Amino acid sequence: MEATAAMRQYCVASRMTIQVLLRSVRRMGLCALLLLSAYSGPSVAVEAGWDGPNNDPFGLQPKERNIARIKEIPIALPGEFVMDLHRASDFDKTNTYIADQLGKDDYDIALIPNSTLSVVKFPVPKGGWINFNDYLAILEQAPGVADAQPNFVRYTTVGQSPFSDPQASKQWFLQAINAERAWRINQDASSVVVAVIDDAIMVQHEDLQGNLWSNPGEIPGNRIDDDRNGYVDDINGWNFGANNNDPSPRGSGCIESGHGTHVAGAIGAVGGNGKGVTGVSPKVKIMALSAGRPDSKCGFDSAGILEAVRYAVDNGAKVINLSLGGPMGTRIAKQTYQYASDKNVLLVVAAGNDGLSNDVEDIPQGSEITLTALVRDNKVVHQALAPSYPAAFSRSIDGMLTVANMRADTQNSANLFLYRRDIPWDYVGVGVKVQGGKLVTKGFKKLSSGSWVVGSSYGARTVQIGTPGTDIFSTIPKPSGDGAASGYGMMTGTSMASPITAGAAALLWSSFPELSNVQIKQRLLASVKKNSDLSGKVGSAGQLDIYEALCGKQFSKRATGCDGNKPKSKPPQAAPPVSKPVPKPAPTPETKPKPAPEPKPKPKPTANDWLRGAEDPSEGSIEW
């Protein structure tokens, strides 16, 4: 695969100021190429239709699907790494060192704006593998590098449902979360910016346009980075996969993608405009951040997600919705999410759709993770991994809230249940370990009938709340000629439960702007409606109730109007000013430099040894 097919271009224009320039190099030409992308859907981790064309956008899954022969499963993009530098100013010496060690210059490297994160892509031979350990050793020993990891793939957390149902009355979830009663207290969350990080968001949609965030520091269409944040004309957000300012499916080259648009509508489709549907927050500001990559039908990986998180935090988002997940919780990723939490941003995350527990300790060196397989005629048709990240990070990141998917027996029913399918997992992997960018397993063993069932993921220590996410009616793009028209349809998954919760958080925060992100999370959890079906599965053992979060009598302070008093008339609050990017504090530099490696060195023990796995004596290294 040519490098240009897997990278996105950054061409430095002479009119751009030095504050705008990406500190990047493409050692193969004049334009800097930066691989920043994320994984899209419907994904490998879907609930039905596992043979769909978008299930493996990067083409990583092995051709061999016989359950008896599968020994390894790719989980990262070959040749691609994410590095965390001690300081952004270390970029040049890191790049020089890598070039000297390789003795050639056919790789790509770039620094993510306003951060210490950088992405490097090494050439991948025609066979699709590289010597993972040798490259990791070079990065670990490079001056200025604090940490390095593979560029792991990520998946949307949606199940496949048809987009054909035109009935907006099927927004049954609004009654289930007590939204209509809450709207009598507050409908206006226009002071709160909610960032949607997803495959693509149709900013041209008729039912989203009125609630889009607009960057106050940019002048539309002048092709100048007016606010000097590293992104030119980022009016409503940014497209990190295609490197342009159009975060819509059209801008990503994947009109058929509807996931992010559906998520955005569940949060904040415009209420009372006589069109389509309404979001949980009828008035809100949606920051559209696409990480879908044009060369993979809006597929995305961890690098693009992390850049989008930094952008959202540095440009004024208060809530970030992440309807995505995947295996491997790395230090670099956790530090990025912790950065958001420390900046008083609430991260709302989908738990996953695999019916597996996320309650596994952060993966230690050499430990096992859960791998399940659905088998038909001895062929694996679907597989799943647990725990899912970033969802499992909520155990230790105070400003993160992870959401399970609930269903109702009948629409508009007050009785909700944790979502499950009548599809049991058939096999579980044995001795599953991480080796390079792959999982390796000693084989699979048969599960007892019905012991693990496909459905919403859960975890009493890593999933905090249950929210409706089944048969959710919201906005979608409708293919029309070479573009897309405004449409509406159903989707199911924790991908839908998460934005409904994010919309509720925005509505709550607008009523109590003095509260912190952690206090908003705590108030949502303290006001849940207890549900026995969530006992032992979800930390709060309850389901979202936005009215109770506003007006619950257990709180010493309740929203204006909760006691039957007429709310005071006041003009709509303006959106808060966008905060300037805050550079990451530089840690104390090492006092003793690391020695340069010998030619083709054997990797020394490092904190990343758990990524390498056992060496293959026949090859001398692990091939990825």
Side-chain angles (χ1 to χ4, degrees):
M1 180 177 67
E2 294 181 359
T4 54
M7 312 289 287
R8 63 189 181 99
Q9 297 187 353
Y10 276 95
C11 295
V12 180
S14 60
R15 65 178 177 272
M16 297 174 66
T17 63
I18 189 65
Q19 292 91 338
V20 180
L21 296 179
L22 287 173
R23 301 275 298 166
S24 60
V25 174
R26 183 173 194 256
R27 304 181 66 91
M28 296 167 59
L30 297 177
C31 293
L33 296 180
L34 176 62
L35 176 67
L36 294 167
S37 38
Y39 209 98
S40 163
S43 66
V44 177
V46 296
E47 302 162 1
W50 291 286
D51 295 322
N54 292 336
N55 288 354
D56 187 21
F58 290 107
L60 294 181
Q61 296 305 308
K63 302 299 181 183
E64 175 60 65
R65 306 304 294 163
N66 189 298
I67 187 67
R69 297 176 184 172
I70 293 177
K71 299 300 179 184
E72 58 183 33
I73 299 171
I75 56 173
L77 297 177
E80 299 179 15
F81 295 82
V82 180
M83 297 186 297
D84 188 16
L85 306 179
H86 288 298
R87 294 171 296 273
S89 59
D90 290 332
F91 178 81
D92 289 337
K93 65 181 180 183
T94 300
N95 180 45
T96 300
Y97 179 89
I98 295 172
D100 290 343
Q101 293 303 306
L102 292 178
K104 53 186 177 181
D105 56 7
D106 58 343
Y107 67 93
D108 299 284
I109 185 171
L111 185 69
I112 292 176
N114 309 312
S115 77
T116 58
L117 298 182
S118 61
V119 182
V120 60
K121 181 179 187 298
F122 295 112
V124 179
K126 188 176 181 180
W129 55 266
I130 66 165
N131 190 320
F132 173 86
N133 282 355
D134 282 357
Y135 280 124
L136 184 59
I138 290 173
L139 298 182
E140 287 175 334
Q141 297 181 55
V145 175
D147 204 352
Q149 67 167 64
N151 198 9
F152 291 108
V153 296
R154 290 291 179 258
Y155 314 90
T156 54
T157 51
V158 62
Q160 290 179 330
S161 293
F163 291 161
S164 58
D165 193 333
Q167 301 179 49
S169 60
K170 288 191 175 182
Q171 285 191 283
W172 65 274
F173 63 92
L174 294 174
Q175 180 179 354
I177 67 170
N178 230 346
E180 294 172 358
R181 190 178 179 192
W183 291 340
R184 300 187 191 123
I185 306 303
N186 183 20
Q187 300 179 11
D188 190 353
S190 58
S191 61
V192 179
V193 178
V194 181
V196 176
I197 299 176
D198 219 289
D199 55 2
I201 300 94
M202 185 182 172
V203 293
Q204 303 86 0
H205 198 287
E206 64 180 9
D207 219 1
L208 294 177
Q209 284 185 319
N211 278 348
L212 292 177
W213 170 75
S214 182
N215 185 349
E218 283 292 318
I219 300 173
N222 67 355
R223 300 184 180 181
I224 297 174
D225 183 10
D226 301 289
D227 60 2
R228 299 183 177 184
N229 69 349
Y231 304 89
V232 177
D233 284 347
D234 51 324
I235 306 303
N236 302 126
W238 192 254
N239 188 322
F240 299 95
N243 185 35
N244 60 45
N245 67 345
D246 182 3
S248 71
R250 180 178 63 191
S252 296
C254 50
I255 298 298
E256 69 276 13
S257 175
H259 186 269
T261 305
H262 196 277
V263 165
I267 294 169
V270 179
N273 63 349
K275 299 177 181 178
V277 295
T278 183
V280 177
S281 283
K283 296 179 181 179
V284 72
K285 296 301 179 187
I286 296 173
M287 181 186 289
L289 303 180
S290 167
R293 181 162 142 174
D295 67 333
S296 61
K297 296 182 179 179
C298 277
F300 54 83
D301 62 29
S302 58
I305 297 169
L306 300 184
E307 183 182 11
V309 169
R310 295 285 307 209
Y311 178 98
V313 174
D314 294 342
N315 288 277
K318 294 294 291 179
V319 180
I320 298 175
N321 186 81
L322 294 156
S323 290
L324 47 86
M328 308 308 301
T330 65
R331 290 183 298 275
I332 292 176
K334 186 175 182 180
Q335 288 167 3
T336 301
Y337 296 120
Q338 187 66 58
Y339 171 79
S341 178
D342 292 345
K343 292 293 184 179
N344 200 31
V345 174
L346 180 64
L347 300 137
V348 184
V349 186
N353 296 330
D354 300 315
L356 303 176
S357 174
N358 285 329
D359 276 359
V360 178
E361 297 292 339
D362 291 339
I363 301 172
Q365 296 182 11
S367 67
E368 297 183 352
I369 67 174
T370 305
L371 166 64
T372 55
L374 185 67
V375 177
R376 298 292 181 268
D377 298 325
N378 292 322
K379 301 290 184 181
V380 175
V381 296
H382 182 43
Q383 63 201 27
L385 299 166
S388 176
Y389 291 89
F393 284 141
S394 64
R395 180 173 182 172
S396 58
I397 296 179
D398 292 338
M400 182 177 285
L401 177 64
T402 298
V403 188
N405 173 19
M406 303 194 74
R407 64 172 178 84
D409 279 342
T410 59
Q411 289 190 352
N412 299 323
S413 170
N415 298 317
L416 301 184
F417 303 90
L418 187 69
Y419 181 73
R420 301 179 185 88
R421 297 280 303 264
D422 293 328
I423 302 175
W425 290 107
D426 298 310
Y427 289 85
V428 62
V430 176
V432 183
K433 298 182 184 298
V434 181
Q435 290 191 4
K438 297 179 180 179
L439 295 178
V440 295
T441 178
K442 296 178 181 179
F444 290 82
K445 70 175 182 179
K446 183 74 174 174
L447 288 167
S448 58
S449 180
S451 56
W452 290 347
V453 180
V454 176
S456 175
S457 296
Y458 55 89
R461 292 176 290 183
T462 51
V463 181
Q464 289 78 42
I465 195 169
T467 297
T470 306
D471 294 334
I472 303 302
F473 194 79
S474 184
T475 50
I476 60 169
K478 182 179 179 181
S480 177
D482 295 332
S486 300
Y488 303 88
M490 293 279 190
M491 287 190 184
T492 288
T494 56
S495 274
M496 285 62 253
S498 179
I500 290 170
T501 308
L507 204 63
L508 180 62
W509 217 336
S510 68
S511 294
F512 301 99
E514 72 280 4
L515 298 184
S516 69
N517 56 348
V518 176
Q519 289 171 322
I520 291 295
K521 171 183 173 179
Q522 291 172 339
R523 190 164 178 125
L524 287 170
L525 298 181
S527 57
V528 296
K529 179 181 179 181
K530 294 297 182 179
N531 188 312
S532 60
D533 200 47
L534 297 178
S535 180
K537 300 285 188 179
V538 171
S540 67
Q543 64 195 53
L544 176 67
D545 189 323
I546 182 56
Y547 177 79
E548 281 298 310
L550 289 168
C551 298
K553 293 184 178 180
Q554 67 270 42
F555 301 116
S556 60
K557 184 176 181 180
R558 286 170 281 173
T560 302
C562 289
D563 297 321
N565 298 322
K566 189 175 182 180
K568 296 180 181 179
S569 176
K570 61 179 181 179
Q573 295 178 337
V578 175
S579 60
K580 294 295 183 182
V582 179
K584 182 178 178 180
T588 303
E590 295 177 287
T591 58
K592 184 177 180 180
K594 297 179 181 179
E598 298 293 331
K600 296 184 177 179
K602 181 178 180 180
K604 297 179 180 180
T606 74
N608 279 328
D609 286 344
W610 62 281
L611 286 171
R612 293 190 174 90
E615 294 284 355
D616 183 346
S618 65
E619 296 291 337
S621 63
I622 293 172
E623 294 174 354
W624 178 23

